[in-house]
Amino acid sequence: MSDPPHASSGPGTAVDENRLEELIIEAQTALPVELPPLANQCASSLGLDGALIYLVDLQQRLLVPLDEALEPLPVDRSPAGRAYRTVFPQVAEIEDGLIVWLPLVDGAERLGVLAVRTASLDGVRMRRSRMLAHLFAMLITSKRAYSDWLAARARTATMRLPTEMLRAFLPPHTVGSSRCVSTAVLEPAYDIAGDAFDHSVVKDVLHTMILDSMGHDLTAGLTTSVAMAAARNARRCGGSLADVVGCVDRALAQWLPDHFCTGVLCRLDARTGVLRWVNCGHPPPLLIRAERVLAGALDSPPQPPIGLAGPLAPAARQVHETTLEPGDCVLLYTDGVVEARDADGAEFGLDRFTDFIIRSSAAGQRPAEVLRLLIHAILDYQRNQLRDDLTILVFEWRPQQ
């Protein structure tokens, strides 16, 4: 006996499973610009009234609709923004029913929100709304890698060429697993040149890196891009941490012999908490434990920047090691963060920087939200007149209990 064309999974509106299957198959080949009508069709097949997709902009201030006829929504002052900030659904009443705002999340990366319209809400409709959000998060992630349209929708200003080149190399803002999470922010969003971050999870090992190239032009961006490519190449070949730094040293010395960058490269074993790091002429990482900074915990003897050639090149890189405790947080940052100045010339400073992170984390903010708020606070401190790039990367070790 064949299945009925309409099947219901409990209370609520019946689902046209055959039509839903057709739409999911169609989604695999749909153009990104076809996602808005597709979201509505999928919502209808799930017994919902409709759905709208919003992507967060590069600076995480606005939620931009893929429907070009609609206006963006503020991240900081809207139910949609609250769903994005807290990664938790929000429900708002409208004239003819309800809107359920659901976070669009791929792994640990926040992409935006999905607005689901429904006449009423029960457990079944909420579950179907979540299913829809999961589906479109995966679709957006798979399609934005090749879609200039999706990239353009997330921008609110014109991007300079060095920034365009460097951003093509950047990973998602947030990566992680059940044992560890790494998140990063970078400003100015449309005018960076020499700063960059990288992070990757390979089995039970978290790889993180922050770089700061000299200069603020296309060559600075090229230096950082070559460094990132060389580091990834060595990692993917199974190289040790010392091998990775050596590979970057040689790549820059060969291809850009007059340019170098400072940086910190780390490897965290998420099973044991063993952290290894190499600091190449960069501000030392900071360790936060039990809501306080452990002064000097990750300091190390100075080593030259990456990419120095000839007699200036180091004979060997020193790899340092420590063991983290559950809940420990490690901060990597570029000097533009603490050297940011207000109108009177006062620096933002290291104490203000670490205190902001500690207080926000203690208030229950997720790491990605802490950095979003922090980077905006630094921008406001300088009245958006940045003198240098700002990059912050934070990773936490949270082993399963």
Side-chain angles (χ1 to χ4, degrees), residues 8-15 42-51 89-91 96-102 114-134:
S8 177
S9 56
T13 306
V15 174
C42 288
S44 178
S45 293
L46 287 169
L48 305 166
D49 295 340
Q90 303 294 314
V91 180
D96 55 349
L98 302 169
I99 291 184
V100 184
W101 298 98
L102 299 112
L114 183 72
V116 176
R117 300 188 308 277
T118 179
S120 61
L121 189 62
D122 55 20
V124 172
R125 288 184 177 86
M126 177 59 83
R127 185 169 64 251
R128 292 174 184 173
S129 298
R130 291 181 188 272
M131 289 168 52
L132 203 60
H134 292 320

Side-chain angles (χ1 to χ4, degrees), residues 104-112 141 144 171-175 183 199 368:
L104 291 171
V105 182
D106 178 57
E109 173 80 338
R110 300 182 297 180
L111 307 174
T141 299
R144 69 175 177 172
H173 284 288
T174 307
V175 301
T183 187
H199 43 204

Side-chain angles (χ1 to χ4, degrees), residues 158-201:
T158 301
M159 186 173 290
R160 292 180 65 244
L161 177 58
T163 310
E164 190 77 64
M165 178 181 66
L166 192 50
R167 280 203 174 274
F169 278 87
L170 294 181
H173 284 288
T174 307
V175 301
S177 67
S178 60
R179 293 190 177 103
C180 60
V181 63
S182 174
T183 187
V185 289
L186 190 156
E187 283 282 352
Y190 300 93
D191 196 26
I192 56 170
D195 276 19
F197 65 86
D198 195 17
H199 43 204
S200 175
V201 178

Side-chain angles (χ1 to χ4, degrees), residues 192-213:
I192 56 170
D195 276 19
F197 65 86
D198 195 17
H199 43 204
S200 175
V201 178
V202 180
K203 296 182 179 179
D204 289 310
V205 177
L206 172 66
H207 304 260
T208 59
M209 176 172 68
I210 195 166
L211 297 169
D212 185 359
S213 293

Side-chain angles (χ1 to χ4, degrees), residues 59 61 184-188 195 331-343 346-357 359-360 369-394:
Q59 295 179 297
R61 293 186 184 274
V185 289
L186 190 156
E187 283 282 352
D195 276 19
L331 281 66
L332 311 180
Y333 63 97
T334 56
D335 52 14
V337 173
V338 295
E339 294 174 1
R341 297 179 182 273
D342 65 9
E347 287 190 346
F348 193 80
L350 191 61
D351 289 342
R352 196 192 311 262
F353 167 52
T354 54
D355 182 62
F356 191 104
I357 291 179
R359 286 188 294 104
S360 299
E369 183 62 14
V370 171
L371 290 198
R372 188 189 75 86
L373 294 170
L374 174 58
I375 203 75
H376 292 169
I378 297 173
L379 288 169
D380 291 343
Y381 189 81
Q382 294 190 99
R383 308 168 313 286
N384 288 321
Q385 302 298 316
L386 300 187
R387 303 181 182 184
D388 196 3
D389 294 348
L390 314 174
T391 306
I392 310 167
L393 184 148
V394 175

Side-chain angles (χ1 to χ4, degrees), residues 41-356:
Q41 294 173 51
C42 288
S44 178
S45 293
L46 287 169
L48 305 166
D49 295 340
L52 294 169
I53 302 167
Y54 290 77
L55 297 183
V56 71
D57 79 306
L58 282 182
Q59 295 179 297
Q60 300 183 85
R61 293 186 184 274
L62 296 172
L63 291 162
V64 182
L66 290 193
D67 185 337
E68 296 175 324
L70 300 178
E71 293 296 319
L73 301 172
V75 169
D76 288 316
R77 300 180 309 280
S78 67
R82 182 169 178 80
Y84 176 82
R85 298 192 313 268
T86 62
V87 196
F88 195 80
Q90 303 294 314
V91 180
E93 292 186 7
I94 55 176
E95 185 175 345
D96 55 349
L98 302 169
I99 291 184
V100 184
W101 298 98
L102 299 112
L104 291 171
V105 182
D106 178 57
E109 173 80 338
R110 300 182 297 180
L111 307 174
V113 295
L114 183 72
V116 176
R117 300 188 308 277
T118 179
S120 61
L121 189 62
D122 55 20
V124 172
R125 288 184 177 86
M126 177 59 83
R127 185 169 64 251
R128 292 174 184 173
S129 298
R130 291 181 188 272
M131 289 168 52
L132 203 60
H134 292 320
L135 171 62
F136 277 88
M138 289 187 290
L139 287 173
I140 290 165
T141 299
S142 68
K143 296 178 186 299
R144 69 175 177 172
Y146 64 82
S147 172
D148 288 343
W149 182 72
L150 286 176
R153 290 300 292 161
R155 297 182 183 184
T156 59
T158 301
M159 186 173 290
R160 292 180 65 244
L161 177 58
T163 310
E164 190 77 64
M165 178 181 66
L166 192 50
R167 280 203 174 274
F169 278 87
L170 294 181
H173 284 288
T174 307
V175 301
S177 67
S178 60
R179 293 190 177 103
C180 60
V181 63
S182 174
T183 187
V185 289
L186 190 156
E187 283 282 352
Y190 300 93
D191 196 26
I192 56 170
D195 276 19
F197 65 86
D198 195 17
H199 43 204
S200 175
V201 178
V202 180
K203 296 182 179 179
D204 289 310
V205 177
L206 172 66
H207 304 260
T208 59
M209 176 172 68
I210 195 166
L211 297 169
D212 185 359
S213 293
M214 68 171 191
H216 195 82
D217 54 16
L218 185 64
T219 305
L222 181 59
T223 301
T224 305
S225 299
V226 170
M228 292 178 70
R232 289 174 180 173
N233 182 254
R235 285 202 320 251
R236 293 166 184 174
C237 291
S240 66
L241 194 53
D243 293 334
V244 171
V245 182
C247 184
V248 179
D249 273 325
R250 291 189 296 274
L252 291 181
Q254 177 180 358
W255 300 106
L256 294 163
D258 297 325
H259 297 271
F260 61 88
C261 59
T262 66
V264 177
L265 294 84
C266 303
R267 284 193 180 183
L268 171 64
D269 188 322
R271 296 166 301 178
T272 64
V274 171
L275 172 68
R276 295 180 176 86
W277 78 97
V278 177
N279 188 342
C280 305
H282 200 80
L286 301 174
L287 176 60
I288 296 178
R289 176 177 294 162
E291 299 182 11
R292 68 185 184 92
V293 178
L294 297 189
L298 301 181
D299 287 357
S300 57
Q303 297 190 61
I306 308 172
L308 296 180
L312 297 177
R317 293 291 186 179
Q318 291 181 300
V319 178
H320 304 277
E321 180 178 312
T322 190
T323 300
L324 301 184
E325 294 184 3
D328 278 357
C329 175
V330 177
L331 281 66
L332 311 180
Y333 63 97
T334 56
D335 52 14
V337 173
V338 295
E339 294 174 1
R341 297 179 182 273
D342 65 9
D344 298 323
E347 287 190 346
F348 193 80
L350 191 61
D351 289 342
R352 196 192 311 262
F353 167 52
T354 54
D355 182 62
F356 191 104

